[in-house]
Structure formats: structure tokens, C-alpha cells
Amino acid sequence: MYDVEKFKMNLDGVVKVVDKLPAEWTTKKPAVIRVPNRVTEDFILDTIQPAFQKNSYLRLAIIFSSVSLKPKGTNNKDLDSTACHAMFTGLKLNAEYSEVAEQMLGRLKELSQKSDGRVLAVDTRTDLLEKKTCKTSAGARRKGCYNPQEVLNFLKKVGFSANTTIYLTETWWHKGLNNLKKAFPNTYTKDDIMPAEKKGEFLNSGDSDLARALDLEICSQSDVFVPAIPGMFYGNVAGKRIASGLTQILVPAPVVGGSAQASDFVSTYITKKSHFAYSCYC
């Protein structure tokens, strides 16, 4: 899915990356180390380094124990900067996939020219809502997930016009989105804007990772991003947007009264510079 050569080129002079094992290691089995994402320097020194000194061939199995991409508070700025660079600069989609994302984004921008010229991307996951995977903190100003009706109410109250062009990270249209479509007629899913000849590979293959990679690219490049679902996807999009200077990220929350300023809902990743990406992007 990702361009190995670009990854190697982007990290040249920072970390040595090879795409083939040296011949003397091909018949050996690596020692497997379970590593939490956003690994700390202490974990490296206490767990990884001793294992590497004992067995010079390791496979690091990443465990996503946390979905937050806020800084860990480490004093090792080089470690933070290297990890940030690898995450938000190193990884690029293969040309085959990035071309499809560009075509979809181009279609959205073309459609937006008939209205206010902006594209708003909303990360909606009705599959998670149906499974009740999202949790709500009682009494909190912000809650876990927002359903399409709540997203509709939020967008209207912070001032988005009815002709706003909206991209939803849904693959197919379903009846739960109908009210959103009535309020914002220029609302589209992947099925609506993907080139017909690509739908078999991206939408009908059953490979959700491919579809999610397209979402990541579009949400990272849209004029405005609204994460209606918390988690790693939100954090990764925020990091890529910080890297490219696209800081319009509005996090939904209940709006008291008839209306509110959109600026009141800008992500704290931006307002407080609390995202890990700021360790390598100022």
C-alpha cells in the first residue's frame, strides 16, 4: 500500500532502512518483542536494547494501547523528532492508490466550485455506532462519537451553509444519512465520487484498509476536517494536516443556544499544540 522507495528516501540520513534482509539472516527466526505504540525511551533501554544485544534480529509487534497522539513528555527530542518524521513525512501511498485519492479529491473540489469552494470532510463510522463501540462520558462537554443527526445539528449551528460540499468517510449510502443529505444536499460517500473503474478494487474487494487509506488522504487534504469519531484515525489525520499547515479541524460538541462560532471548536491538538506532530513541525 505504501511506497517503500519514498519511505527510504524520506528517511535517508535519519534512519537506515532496507527492504530486503541480509542473506545471512534469511534462514533465522527473529525474536518477537511486543511494543506499545508511541514507545518510550525507558522501554527501549529496558526491553528492546537488552533483547537486541542478546539476539541481533528482532521483529517489533506494535500494540495500540493508546489512541492519543499527544506528546509523551520525554526529554529525548531526537527520538520524538525521528518518530514524528517517520509517521508524517515518511509514509506515502503507492502512486496507484494516491492517484485514486487525488481523483476523488479533485472531483470534490470541482463540485465545491458550484458553492463556496470549500470541501469539508467528516469522519463518520455508522458501523461503530451500531456496535455501540463508542463511549460517552456523562456530563462531559465533548462525548465519544456523534451520529449523522448530531453532526448535522453541529454543522448548522456553527454556521455551515446548506450548499457546503461534504465528504463522508462512508463507503455506501444508507438511510441513516438521509437527514444529513436533506440539510446538506452536496454530501457524498466514496461510492458517489470514486471513478467507476476503481470501485471493484477499492469498494468491492472487502479490503477495508484500502478504503480507509483513501479516507486518510482526503481528510488530510480537505479544507476542513470534522472528526465525529475519536481514535487513531483522527490523530493521524491531524498530524498530516499539521505537517501541511491545514489546521482547520473542528471537533463536534453540544452547542448551547441557537448558534456558536466555529473557532470555539477547533481541536486542542491545534489550539494547545498538543499533538505529537509539533515535535518536528513548528
Side-chain angles (χ1 to χ4, degrees), residues 96-135:
E96 174 189 358
Y97 303 138
S98 63
E99 181 181 341
V100 176
E102 288 170 7
Q103 288 175 330
M104 293 171 68
L105 189 60
R107 176 61 176 151
L108 288 167
K109 289 183 176 180
E110 179 185 336
L111 291 165
S112 74
Q113 296 308 311
K114 300 173 184 178
S115 55
D116 63 359
R118 293 193 302 169
V119 174
L120 186 154
V122 182
D123 183 29
T124 52
R125 296 286 303 279
T126 50
D127 56 330
L128 294 182
L129 292 170
E130 289 169 358
K131 294 175 183 177
K132 298 182 179 179
T133 309
C134 296
K135 300 183 183 297

Side-chain angles (χ1 to χ4, degrees), residues 261-276:
Q261 295 292 321
S263 58
D264 293 337
F265 300 91
V266 174
S267 169
T268 55
Y269 276 149
I270 306 301
T271 59
K272 296 183 179 180
K273 292 192 173 182
S274 62
H275 195 285
F276 177 52

Side-chain angles (χ1 to χ4, degrees), residues 51-277:
F52 188 67
Q53 289 172 340
K54 183 178 180 180
N55 183 341
S56 300
Y57 182 18
L58 304 181
R59 182 170 74 82
L60 305 182
I62 309 301
I63 305 166
F64 288 93
S65 55
S66 170
V67 297
S68 173
L69 284 176
K70 292 183 178 180
K72 289 279 190 178
T74 175
N75 291 321
N76 191 329
K77 301 303 180 185
D78 287 340
L79 177 62
D80 285 347
S81 181
T82 300
C84 171
H85 187 65
M87 289 176 68
F88 303 116
T89 302
L91 288 176
K92 303 292 183 183
L93 284 178
N94 276 325
E96 174 189 358
Y97 303 138
S98 63
E99 181 181 341
V100 176
E102 288 170 7
Q103 288 175 330
M104 293 171 68
L105 189 60
R107 176 61 176 151
L108 288 167
K109 289 183 176 180
E110 179 185 336
L111 291 165
S112 74
Q113 296 308 311
K114 300 173 184 178
S115 55
D116 63 359
R118 293 193 302 169
V119 174
L120 186 154
V122 182
D123 183 29
T124 52
R125 296 286 303 279
T126 50
D127 56 330
L128 294 182
L129 292 170
E130 289 169 358
K131 294 175 183 177
K132 298 182 179 179
T133 309
C134 296
K135 300 183 183 297
T136 300
S137 299
R141 181 170 178 263
R142 301 188 190 278
K143 66 173 190 170
C145 302
Y146 287 81
N147 64 39
Q149 183 63 46
E150 291 169 324
V151 170
L152 183 166
N153 295 339
F154 172 73
L155 295 179
K156 290 176 70 174
K157 288 193 173 184
V158 297
F160 284 97
S161 66
N163 64 356
T164 299
T165 299
I166 299 176
Y167 171 74
L168 304 178
T169 58
E170 300 278 2
T171 298
W172 314 104
W173 195 268
H174 57 83
K175 63 181 182 180
L177 303 172
N178 287 349
N179 286 343
L180 185 57
K181 183 77 167 180
K182 288 179 183 177
F184 297 94
N186 302 320
T187 298
Y188 307 96
T189 65
K190 281 186 279 296
D191 181 49
D192 295 321
I193 61 170
M194 182 176 288
E197 68 275 13
K198 298 295 183 180
K199 290 183 180 181
E201 179 181 0
F202 286 89
L203 304 186
N204 299 321
S205 66
D207 189 342
S208 60
D209 288 341
L210 275 179
R212 205 62 175 145
L214 295 178
D215 288 336
L216 180 64
E217 291 299 303
I218 294 171
C219 291
S220 299
Q221 298 178 58
S222 62
D223 297 293
V224 183
F225 173 55
V226 176
I229 306 292
M232 284 295 294
F233 183 82
Y234 163 33
N236 285 327
V237 170
K240 289 174 72 69
R241 292 182 70 92
I242 289 166
S244 57
L246 298 172
T247 55
Q248 281 294 303
I249 304 174
L250 305 181
V251 180
V255 177
V256 178
S259 63
Q261 295 292 321
S263 58
D264 293 337
F265 300 91
V266 174
S267 169
T268 55
Y269 276 149
I270 306 301
T271 59
K272 296 183 179 180
K273 292 192 173 182
S274 62
H275 195 285
F276 177 52

